[in-house]
């Protein structure tokens, strides 16, 4: 429905507990597209179809999201770190025959791609980020205003199973409020995509999301802090985009922040949208990625 002409797959990762669901189509150099919370690979469908005219496009569901595996979180949350999520995606690309590839990520997908570019510099050729600041930067530059708008970072990170129980039975209410009213820079979704995101918003998905945020506040932060203090940066060409109506614009300074984490930022600019560029301004996103990945 969303990716006509693409092939659907469910690929076993190096974690026996998790398969990754996704689609692949087009021809040319490989590009991996990774979604954020609380979305799925469907988030990229407009942009992905257009990129497939020049690239082989792979769009996946992160573990814990969509139709990918949703293993129970380990006590230390290590099976939901961005390092583990990045390894999932590297496993998928290897299974599809791609030893090297370009990647674009939004929200949690951008954090996954960020860690992937650090952990697998031999595989990630180019890195594009949409509407995030690095986790380390966010958690060391928190303001009261940002925290009020982004309270889910801390709500979802509470110990098991407090947030899970509070959302249980209210998944439909949660997903609509999350995507259309909570925070800033919301909206821009079609009825079809909203219905798809509601379909996969299950108790198992909510647990996966909570484990994602628990890992981010603990293990992921410590990994990023160690890399930052060691001066370790992403070396491949990077393109950084964010919505001029989003929290990234209103509460941070991406132009100053990102060069602290990437050695080679070749494109960096806001887009005329909120937090969901690929669905709110797909034309601009497509143009930027064609220019970046095609150069």
């Amino acid at each position: 429905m969303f990716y006509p002409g693409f092939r659907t797959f469910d690929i076993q990762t190096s974690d026996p507990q998790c398969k990754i669901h996704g689609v692949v189509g087009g021809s040319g150099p490989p590009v991996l597209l990774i979604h954020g919370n609380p979305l799925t690979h469907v988030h990229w469908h407009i942009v992905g179809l257009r990129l497939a005219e020049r690239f082989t496009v792979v769009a996946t569901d992160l573990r814990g999201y969509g139709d990918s595996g949703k293993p129970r979180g380990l006590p230390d949350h290590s099976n939901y770190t961005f390092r583990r999520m990045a390894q999932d995606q590297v496993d998928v690309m290897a299974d599809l025959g791609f030893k090297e590839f370009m990647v674009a990520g939004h929200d949690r997908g951008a954090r996954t791609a960020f860690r992937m570019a650090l952990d697998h510099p031999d595989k990630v050729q180019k890195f594009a980020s949409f509407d995030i600041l690095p986790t380390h930067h966010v958690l060391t530059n928190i303001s009261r205003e940002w925290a009020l708008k982004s309270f889910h970072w801390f709500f979802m990170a509470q110990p098991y199973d407090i947030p899970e129980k509070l959302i249980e039975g209210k998944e439909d209410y949660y997903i609509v409020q999350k995507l259309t009213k909570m925070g800033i820079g919301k909206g821009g979704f079609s009825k079809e995509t909203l219905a798809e995101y509601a379909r996969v918003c299950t108790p198992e998905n909510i647990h996966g999301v909570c484990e994602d945020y628990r890992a981010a506040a603990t293990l992921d932060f410590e990994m990023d802090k160690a890399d930052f203090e060691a001066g370790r940066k992403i070396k491949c060409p990077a393109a950084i985009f964010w919505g001029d109506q989003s929290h990234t614009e209103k509460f941070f300074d991406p132009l100053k922040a990102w060069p602290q984490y990437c050695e080679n930022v070749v494109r960096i600019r806001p887009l005329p949208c909120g937090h969901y560029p690929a669905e709110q301004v797909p034309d601009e996103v497509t143009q930027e990625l064609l220019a970046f990945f095609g150069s």
Side-chain angles (χ1 to χ4, degrees), residues 84-106:
R84 178 61 256 184
M85 291 184 180
Q87 185 62 57
D88 290 341
Q89 303 301 317
V90 169
D91 292 344
V92 166
M93 296 304 279
D95 189 272
L96 294 172
F98 303 124
K99 295 181 180 179
E100 298 179 326
F101 52 89
M102 297 173 281
V103 60
H106 165 252

Side-chain angles (χ1 to χ4, degrees), residues 1-46:
M1 173 182 176
F2 293 101
Y3 288 88
F6 278 49
R7 174 173 66 85
T8 301
F9 61 76
D10 291 276
I11 291 175
Q12 179 64 56
T13 69
S14 51
D15 176 358
Q17 302 300 315
C18 188
K19 291 183 178 180
I20 295 296
H21 178 78
V23 296
V24 57
S27 61
V31 168
L32 172 63
L33 304 176
I34 317 177
H35 68 88
N37 170 50
L39 312 174
T40 73
H41 73 282
V42 166
H43 176 64
W44 286 103
H45 72 285
I46 301 173

Side-chain angles (χ1 to χ4, degrees), residues 184-213:
I184 57 179
K186 305 299 182 178
F189 302 98
S190 69
K191 292 181 179 179
E192 292 78 13
T193 57
L194 272 178
E196 178 64 8
Y197 303 144
R199 177 185 71 82
V200 297
C201 187
T202 63
E204 294 77 15
N205 165 237
I206 295 300
H207 175 65
V209 173
C210 291
E211 285 297 303
D212 171 0
Y213 280 87

Side-chain angles (χ1 to χ4, degrees), residues 31-199:
V31 168
L32 172 63
L33 304 176
I34 317 177
H35 68 88
N37 170 50
L39 312 174
T40 73
H41 73 282
V42 166
H43 176 64
W44 286 103
H45 72 285
I46 301 173
V47 175
L49 288 172
R50 296 174 183 176
L51 292 180
E53 297 176 6
R54 290 180 52 186
F55 302 95
T56 299
V57 173
V58 180
T60 59
D61 293 342
L62 291 167
R63 69 166 51 208
Y65 293 82
D67 291 310
S68 284
K70 301 172 182 64
R72 299 298 297 178
L74 295 174
D76 65 353
H77 320 301
S78 57
N79 61 334
Y80 276 92
T81 63
F82 295 124
R83 173 164 285 164
R84 178 61 256 184
M85 291 184 180
Q87 185 62 57
D88 290 341
Q89 303 301 317
V90 169
D91 292 344
V92 166
M93 296 304 279
D95 189 272
L96 294 172
F98 303 124
K99 295 181 180 179
E100 298 179 326
F101 52 89
M102 297 173 281
V103 60
H106 165 252
D107 189 77
R108 313 309 280 185
R111 300 185 191 284
T112 299
F114 176 90
R115 175 48 58 185
M116 188 189 305
L118 283 172
D119 285 0
H120 305 275
D122 58 324
K123 296 179 174 61
V124 178
Q125 298 168 312
K126 294 183 179 182
F127 160 65
S129 168
F130 285 87
D131 210 51
I132 70 160
L133 279 298
T135 304
H136 169 266
H137 187 81
V138 172
L139 292 179
T140 53
N141 292 275
I142 293 173
S143 66
R144 177 180 62 88
E145 294 81 6
W146 175 85
L148 285 171
K149 297 294 185 181
S150 302
F151 71 92
H152 64 284
W153 276 58
F154 311 105
F155 169 63
M156 293 293 199
Q158 294 305 304
Y160 176 81
D161 59 352
I162 294 169
E164 286 96 332
K165 286 296 185 183
L166 289 173
I167 296 174
E168 185 176 332
K170 305 178 182 69
E171 290 84 4
D172 287 348
Y173 174 81
Y174 164 78
I175 198 71
V176 172
Q177 296 299 311
K178 169 69 177 167
L179 291 175
T180 62
K181 295 183 180 180
M182 291 165 58
I184 57 179
K186 305 299 182 178
F189 302 98
S190 69
K191 292 181 179 179
E192 292 78 13
T193 57
L194 272 178
E196 178 64 8
Y197 303 144
R199 177 185 71 82

